[in-house]
Amino acid sequence: MTTATLASYSLTVIYSAMGVYLFAFIAFTLDLAKRSSEIPVAAVVSEARVGKMSRAGGTATLERAPVVVPVGRKSSRFERVAFALTILGWVLHVFGTVLRGVAAGRVPWANMFEFSLTASAIIVGVFVVVQLWQNLMFLGAYITGFSLIILGFGTVGFYVNVVPLPPALQSYWLVIHVFVATLGTAFFAIGAGLSLVQLIQTRREANRFSGLKFLDTMPDAGSLETLAYRVIVIGFIFWTFTLMAGAIWAEHAWGRYWGWDTKEVWTFIIWTLFAGYLHARATRGWRGSRSAYLAIVGFGAVMFNFTIVNLFFKGLHTYSGL
Amino acid sequence: MSRPSDHIESPAPSKKDDGVAQPKLTVVGYLRFFWRQLTSMRTAMFLLLLLAIAAVPGSLFPQRSSDPNGVTLYFTNNPSTAPVLDKLQLFDVYTSAWFSAIYLLLFISLIGCVIPRTIYHARALMSAPPKTPARLERLGAFSAFEIEAGETDAAGVPLTAAAAVETGRAVLRKGGYRVKLFDGRGPSGSEFSVSAERGYLRETGNLVFHIALIGILISVGIGGGVGYTGQKVLVVGQAFANVRLTFDSFTPGRFFSDSELQPYRLVLNKFTTKYEQTNLNAYGQPIDYKANVTTYDAAGKPTKAVIKVNDPLNIGGNEIYLLGNGYAPSITVRNPAGKIVYSEPVPFLPQNANLLSLGIVKVPDGLSSQLGMRAFFYPTAAVNAAGDLASTYPDLRNPMLSLVVYKGDLGINAGVPKSVYALDTDKMTELAGPGAASGKMALRLKPGETAQIPGGLGSITFDNKAPASDKTDVAKSVSRFASLDVHRDPAKGWVLFFALCVLGGLLTSLFIPRRRIWIKAVELADGRLRLEYAGLARGEDPALDAAVTAIARRHSQQLGLRLMS
Ligand code: HEM
């Protein structure tokens, strides 16, 4: 098959993935609506008991300090459908992205279009995988909606035909550096989503307004903040690695590891913002909403770097392919 | 003081000791106050955020360090605002006073923060875990079990509090905890306990991370100070020796001395390019550049090597990078008598993707008047719809040179250095070209062709460089040049080393949990034994509860008992 046919198949598959994501998005939104009508299940406080330790057969009781055990919410049908659709869309999405790579005969992240395919695939992928560790279904609408927007811009605004790599990009560092940057972006995206819900939840907890009842089914602001922190820490490590791998690559390609090129500047800005976030989390008076705002600003800078900087700023990294 | 006083785990400030309280009005008081402010978490965070913001303008305005032409252009386009921006150092953001002030303050703060923490941590590493708290049940992760009187352990020996705690100590030690035993009388009977702590590496990692940041800053500074960069344009067949004067441009660091230049010589034998030909979407896009060179060390021993774009050559403490390339048409000028007064390959600067290139030729001597030429080179010349010459492909298919010729004063005798890529025609008259009074058009030459200079000044030849056996092969008729960047940064390895320390420190400090665990055994009045397990996280520790439960389970197994709930 020729490059052009493969590329067009890839695009078709991507469009189908977008269609499936759209339904997933709708189902997630319906789930949020449904959550509003649920009667919040009160957290149960387990009673203190004293336990015994004995040879098999003896009596035993166990003492625990009183712990609040949040009762897991039963997932709604909408949620299960939405998640199944997300996985289906994601499989198509990955398949389309891989096809694009096959068409080009290289990794599918060498220009803006390909980067939006890969980045959104990784964001959804991380979202799906994270569910194994922690139920973050309430972010489903955010994640699928966000990926739809990226894919929409990617396919409509940034589509380019397959072209070979210019000599400066012919390096295994392209594979490592860009892939890890994308992974970091995915974690930052989820972190920003959690921080956003955290901010809303904080407001709600503070003045107890009765709207947005579906928030009752989500973790409280404190847990959301802890979750966001854990996710962002992982993103930060990937970003640190991205910055270093980029410096090593720049050293190979341009003869200097750091030259304050536009893209380097923004990678640095993002890194520094998130270092500030990590500090805020350890500074008295800065936990809570303030660090949540920082996490969102940091992710805003990531998006700015990916869109505005790539398209409108001049520099050595002009690889948008447009 | 272990951590900044406003660290989240430091005790909350008392009224008197508040960081924002009025300092005592003495010089020392002020200094101490100021130092505590500077080394606080809040300051570090603000400086980090400030640094991020301060870096932004460097991406909005062209920078002298990375884009000098952009700066010149900005001055031309914005003559009124550019000098103001320049005063604010907005074209040199990353070396500006304000940017430097922020990062220097940040690093002073960092040093002031890291030193006391390192000392404290070194002490903690050498000391035993702290005494077991009296009331473990107050801690978050806590569980307790009671054992009937007269219960025996796995070996059949009656269980005592001391024996149970001894077993607990072994379990904890195996789990990588540092342990210390305590005994005493509690409210309900005699009690024994073991206090254990693990995860000192977390703090170690954090300190390594921060200290390595200082290491990076220092290595970058040293590298920039003693290193240098040089640029050299080499036409195929030309050589350069690693001597300061042979470079086209040379930027030494502040502490550079010529003795750093190791003697070697490099000849560019061949320069190969490959352009896309099958994919019509990318027709003519470059796919590969390759420079074949021979290097000669001080003893004259030759070595063959290849330099590619992502693949620099290491030689004599230098890295040599291939950063650019283009055409260097050979131009020969003869006087009316046929004597050669000028014959050189002239590197032309590429202007677009199809390598339309611009070159300047200056012939100061040998003719009745000084001669200047502004020349365009078209590797694949074609006449476009508007009737103008254009290049349609970057490789040599229909090479063509178009020369606008001037005579008069080149302005190079005054001793003012002039760029080889600029021609000042103020004091010259155009002999051939769009502005020539005679109406003579620009001279157009193909390789091997010669044209007379209007006004009987002599002749110009566009030399065909193809080998004699192959004179008709246009693909070989014009030489290419490679532009090489020669770098030396002796501290580069250190930057990498510290960067790896940063990464390692970060991983350690973020993923190794630091926690304390206690096991307490109390002999109750009625002969029963009560075992208590508790844990305390220091820093983020999602797995604390699970860890306490696992210790309790392992401990009971060791005792030959079973946990039941
Ligand atoms: C160059 C500037 C700095 C950068 C880029 C930076 C970056 C970071 C990062 C990424 C972390 C989280 C990872 C870890 O715990 O190892 C961190 C933690 C920390 N930093 Fe910094 N830092 C800087 C300066 C400072 C300064 C000046 C101080 C002292 C005032 C400081 C004190 C701390 C402390 C105490 C922690 C531990 C936080 C915790 O307990 O979770 N840092 N820093």
Side-chain angles (χ1 to χ4, degrees):
Chain A
M1 246 182 292
T2 69
T3 298
T5 13
L6 276 174
S8 74
Y9 286 166
S10 152
L11 196 59
T12 313
V13 177
I14 292 293
Y15 282 137
S16 334
M18 288 169 69
V20 178
Y21 280 154
L22 184 61
F23 284 106
F25 173 75
I26 293 170
F28 272 126
T29 316
L30 289 174
D31 171 56
L32 288 183
K34 182 154 179 303
R35 282 168 185 252
S36 296
S37 62
E38 280 172 19
I39 304 150
V41 251
V44 171
V45 179
S46 77
E47 279 178 37
R49 289 177 294 148
V50 178
K52 276 186 183 164
M53 221 191 238
S54 66
R55 306 231 149 268
T59 45
T61 33
L62 165 73
E63 182 184 56
R64 279 191 185 284
V67 220
V68 183
V69 184
V71 166
R73 165 183 174 270
K74 258 192 75 204
S75 65
S76 76
R77 185 185 306 150
F78 285 127
E79 184 181 286
R80 288 194 299 272
V81 169
F83 193 58
L85 285 174
T86 307
I87 292 180
L88 174 67
W90 186 64
V91 170
L92 285 172
H93 188 167
V94 170
F95 180 59
T97 309
V98 170
L99 261 187
R100 171 75 185 193
V102 174
R106 55 168 164 73
V107 289
W109 51 82
N111 53 47
M112 283 281 277
F113 165 66
E114 295 173 357
F115 189 70
S116 29
L117 295 192
T118 307
S120 48
I122 290 179
I123 289 174
V124 178
V126 168
F127 169 73
V128 168
V129 171
V130 160
Q131 308 300 325
L132 300 176
W133 161 69
Q134 188 83 46
N135 182 339
L136 297 185
M137 289 292 183
F138 57 91
L139 287 182
Y142 164 75
I143 293 290
T144 46
F146 185 65
S147 299
L148 264 177
I149 293 176
I150 298 184
L151 283 174
F153 274 108
T155 47
V156 176
F158 305 145
Y159 186 79
V160 286
N161 290 308
V162 171
V163 296
L165 288 182
L169 287 186
Q170 292 170 18
S171 163
Y172 53 89
W173 286 107
L174 170 74
V175 181
I176 303 170
H177 169 70
V178 182
F179 186 76
V180 176
T182 321
L183 266 178
T185 305
F187 281 92
F188 287 153
I190 294 179
L194 287 166
S195 300
L196 200 67
V197 183
Q198 176 200 337
L199 284 177
I200 304 172
Q201 195 75 297
T202 308
R203 288 233 164 149
R204 214 175 120 79
E205 283 168 11
N207 48 21
R208 316 205 168 284
F209 62 84
S210 51
L212 304 177
K213 278 191 78 170
F214 60 88
L215 283 167
D216 283 339
T217 63
M218 296 183 188
D220 61 290
S223 320
L224 284 167
E225 179 175 359
T226 312
L227 281 176
Y229 170 78
R230 291 186 192 148
V231 169
I232 290 173
V233 155
I234 299 175
F236 183 74
I237 286 170
F238 284 131
W239 201 261
T240 308
F241 185 82
T242 303
L243 201 149
M244 291 177 185
I248 297 176
W249 186 11
E251 212 275 330
H252 279 264
W254 301 319
R256 85 288 183 296
Y257 50 81
W258 198 262
W260 294 108
D261 177 62
T262 322
K263 206 75 185 174
E264 289 167 345
V265 171
W266 277 91
T267 309
F268 172 83
I269 291 173
I270 291 162
W271 190 80
T272 313
L273 281 175
F274 279 104
Y277 164 83
L278 292 183
H279 272 218
R281 286 266 318 159
T283 307
R284 187 174 306 119
W286 275 77
R287 282 218 170 155
S289 297
R290 288 177 169 185
S291 41
Y293 279 119
L294 276 182
I296 294 170
V297 169
F299 181 60
V302 174
M303 288 328 290
F304 185 79
N305 185 29
F306 171 57
T307 53
I308 311 291
V309 174
N310 275 7
L311 294 175
F312 301 114
F313 286 35
K314 200 174 146 223
L316 288 170
H317 286 75
T318 42
Y319 60 80
S320 68
L322 300 177
Chain B
M1 179 183 68
S2 65
R3 292 195 154 162
S5 56
D6 61 342
H7 187 277
I8 196 119
E9 283 171 24
S10 297
S14 67
K15 274 274 166 327
K16 208 172 119 249
D17 197 32
D18 196 336
V20 285
Q22 277 296 317
K24 285 200 211 82
L25 295 176
T26 61
V27 176
V28 178
Y30 266 117
L31 283 179
R32 184 169 297 153
F33 172 76
F34 179 72
W35 181 248
R36 286 209 14 205
Q37 289 302 309
L38 185 63
T39 57
S40 71
M41 286 302 280
R42 220 176 308 123
T43 307
M45 184 190 66
F46 276 127
L47 286 174
L48 274 168
L49 298 180
L50 205 58
L51 191 68
I53 295 170
V56 174
S59 69
L60 301 176
F61 301 104
Q63 298 295 298
R64 288 212 171 81
S65 57
S66 55
D67 185 13
N69 294 332
V71 177
T72 317
L73 201 66
Y74 198 95
F75 268 86
T76 320
N77 294 344
N78 309 280
S80 52
T81 49
V84 181
L85 298 178
D86 201 18
K87 273 259 158 52
L88 299 171
Q89 298 179 298
L90 284 168
F91 300 117
D92 306 281
V93 165
Y94 306 106
T95 50
S96 67
W98 42 276
F99 191 79
S100 312
I102 297 173
Y103 77 75
L104 287 177
L105 268 181
L106 183 57
F107 274 85
I108 293 172
S109 164
L110 181 55
I111 293 169
C113 163
V114 154
I115 291 177
R117 277 175 63 198
T118 311
I119 296 172
Y120 181 88
H121 186 56
R123 287 214 193 103
L125 278 176
M126 286 181 287
S127 55
K131 195 166 176 324
T132 311
R135 302 182 58 119
L136 287 180
E137 62 272 27
R138 288 200 178 148
L139 299 174
F142 172 79
S143 56
F145 303 89
E146 285 178 2
I147 302 174
E148 290 299 337
E151 197 62 90
T152 54
D153 70 7
V157 183
L159 260 181
T160 62
V165 163
E166 184 55 40
T167 316
R169 181 170 86 135
V171 167
L172 285 164
R173 281 195 70 151
K174 251 183 108 183
Y177 286 82
R178 182 179 294 215
V179 294
K180 183 158 168 66
L181 289 178
F182 292 95
D183 57 9
R185 287 205 70 78
S188 45
S190 82
E191 57 176 53
F192 294 82
S193 65
V194 52
S195 166
E197 178 156 3
R198 60 154 287 162
Y200 293 79
L201 257 181
R202 185 184 182 92
E203 182 74 357
T204 311
N206 182 291
L207 289 170
V208 166
F209 170 87
H210 285 92
I211 293 169
L213 287 178
I214 306 174
I216 290 187
L217 187 74
I218 293 176
S219 329
V220 169
I222 291 180
V226 300
Y228 60 84
T229 62
Q231 281 78 37
K232 181 70 189 169
V233 167
L234 276 188
V235 178
V236 172
Q238 288 182 342
F240 100 96
N242 192 23
V243 186
R244 194 162 164 174
L245 276 177
T246 57
F247 287 103
D248 297 329
S249 70
F250 190 83
T251 321
R254 199 166 304 176
F255 310 109
F256 169 81
S257 80
D258 277 80
S259 60
E260 279 184 54
L261 293 170
Q262 296 183 27
Y264 66 84
R265 220 160 59 82
L266 179 147
V267 180
L268 178 62
N269 302 322
K270 201 166 107 183
F271 191 83
T272 332
T273 57
K274 211 161 101 195
Y275 300 101
E276 178 64 43
Q277 298 191 354
T278 48
N279 183 342
L280 292 183
N281 292 319
Y283 195 68
Q285 187 184 307
I287 293 181
D288 195 30
Y289 299 131
K290 194 165 104 182
N292 290 71
V293 299
T294 306
T295 58
Y296 299 88
D297 63 12
K301 191 168 84 60
T303 315
K304 284 201 174 339
V306 172
I307 310 179
K308 298 178 65 154
V309 172
N310 263 309
D311 202 358
L313 170 70
N314 281 292
I315 179 172
N318 288 143
E319 269 84 48
I320 302 183
Y321 299 89
L322 175 60
L323 283 204
N325 67 83
Y327 290 100
S330 275
I331 293 170
T332 301
V333 178
R334 294 183 174 78
N335 69 10
K339 182 169 165 269
I340 294 178
V341 296
Y342 179 96
S343 182
E344 269 174 45
V346 183
F348 276 44
L349 292 179
Q351 307 290 310
N352 65 18
N354 282 326
L355 291 189
L356 160 68
S357 311
L358 175 64
I360 299 294
V361 182
K362 295 176 190 174
V363 187
D365 307 304
L367 299 179
S368 58
S369 156
Q370 289 191 331
L371 196 69
M373 289 178 253
R374 184 178 287 132
F376 278 103
F377 176 69
Y378 307 83
T380 300
V383 177
N384 66 16
D388 301 320
L389 268 188
S391 178
T392 54
Y393 191 71
D395 220 341
L396 294 170
R397 290 189 174 163
N398 180 27
M400 169 91 78
L401 198 58
S402 159
L403 300 145
V404 178
V405 187
Y406 301 86
K407 80 167 192 183
D409 182 2
L410 283 170
I412 54 180
N413 301 338
V416 188
K418 282 261 149 63
S419 163
V420 289
Y421 293 113
L423 183 67
D424 179 2
T425 56
D426 284 355
K427 296 195 192 115
M428 307 193 83
T429 38
E430 194 167 327
L431 297 178
S438 61
K440 182 100 175 89
M441 295 310 288
L443 307 178
R444 287 186 183 177
L445 296 176
K446 293 186 174 220
E449 290 182 351
T450 300
Q452 296 303 315
I453 305 172
L457 278 175
S459 69
I460 302 170
T461 308
F462 178 15
D463 301 325
N464 184 351
K465 300 301 276 188
S469 57
D470 223 359
K471 271 293 175 227
T472 52
D473 186 356
V474 287
K476 295 180 185 161
S477 59
V478 183
S479 302
R480 291 175 187 265
F481 73 84
S483 108
L484 301 177
D485 260 41
V486 180
H487 290 219
R488 180 172 143 81
D489 181 352
K492 207 162 54 182
W494 285 105
V495 177
L496 181 63
F497 169 76
F498 285 121
L500 292 176
C501 289
V502 162
L503 198 60
L506 193 63
L507 287 170
T508 327
S509 76
L510 291 175
F511 289 132
I512 291 193
R514 180 160 190 188
R515 58 174 78 115
R516 291 190 178 144
I517 287 191
W518 293 276
I519 302 179
K520 192 188 268 186
V522 186
E523 283 166 359
L524 299 176
D526 57 6
R528 285 179 311 145
L529 204 59
R530 182 180 158 96
L531 290 181
E532 296 180 352
Y533 303 88
L536 179 69
R538 308 191 62 201
E540 206 68 27
D541 186 358
L544 180 70
D545 281 312
V548 174
T549 311
I551 289 287
R553 192 169 340 97
R554 230 170 298 144
H555 185 216
S556 61
Q557 271 167 5
Q558 289 295 316
L559 292 173
L561 299 173
R562 208 170 72 185
L563 273 189
M564 306 178 71
S565 47

